[in-house]
Amino acid sequence: MTPVTDLDSPVFDGRAAMRGYPLNAMCFSFNDPANRARFIEDAEAYFREFGLDEEQRRAVRERDVLGMIAAGGNAYYLLKLANLLGMDVQDVGAQQTGLTRADFQAKLRAQGA
């Protein structure tokens, strides 16, 4: 994955919101524990139910948060999905900076010293 820079950060505007609506609606549905269970049981069926396109499906399958953002995902909603996939804010930060989780954590510790 390529780290995001200020020059290539996707802008979440009206077009991105329209494109990402299925992905964001799916993520919003995870407020309900029953929906989280349904997703875990059969993610592909859940993708179809919400109408995710192949780029969105691929990004979710690969746990590629930057790909989800590029496919119209809103960071607030994507954090719900990342958590469901066993990821946390540090995993997302590592992806954004192009570092491993361990290197990202070390960088955070060094900045806090």
Side-chain angles (χ1 to χ4, degrees):
M1 279 175 226
T2 305
V4 175
T5 67
D6 289 339
L7 299 176
D8 61 7
S9 296
V11 175
F12 191 78
D13 57 9
R15 288 178 52 184
M18 293 296 293
R19 179 163 186 252
Y21 183 81
L23 176 59
N24 294 319
M26 181 186 78
C27 292
F28 182 79
S29 77
F30 299 141
N31 287 326
D32 182 336
N35 290 336
R36 294 193 297 267
R38 288 178 47 228
F39 174 81
I40 290 168
E41 182 178 315
D42 189 350
E44 295 299 322
Y46 215 72
F47 295 159
R48 288 190 299 276
E49 182 178 331
F50 281 88
L52 273 66
D53 66 26
E54 186 52 38
E55 180 182 1
Q56 293 165 338
R57 292 173 190 220
R58 179 211 51 81
V60 174
R61 283 185 207 113
E62 295 178 6
R63 292 163 167 65
D64 178 4
V65 176
L66 299 180
M68 292 179 221
I69 291 170
N74 176 289
Y76 171 77
Y77 295 120
L78 293 178
L79 199 51
K80 293 175 183 296
L81 175 60
N83 186 263
L84 185 60
L85 297 173
M87 301 170 69
D88 63 21
V89 174
Q90 291 184 7
D91 293 308
V92 174
Q95 282 190 25
Q96 290 177 313
T97 58
L99 299 171
T100 66
R101 180 183 169 89
D103 289 343
F104 183 72
Q105 289 172 327
K107 182 177 179 177
L108 290 176
R109 282 191 293 277
Q111 290 178 346

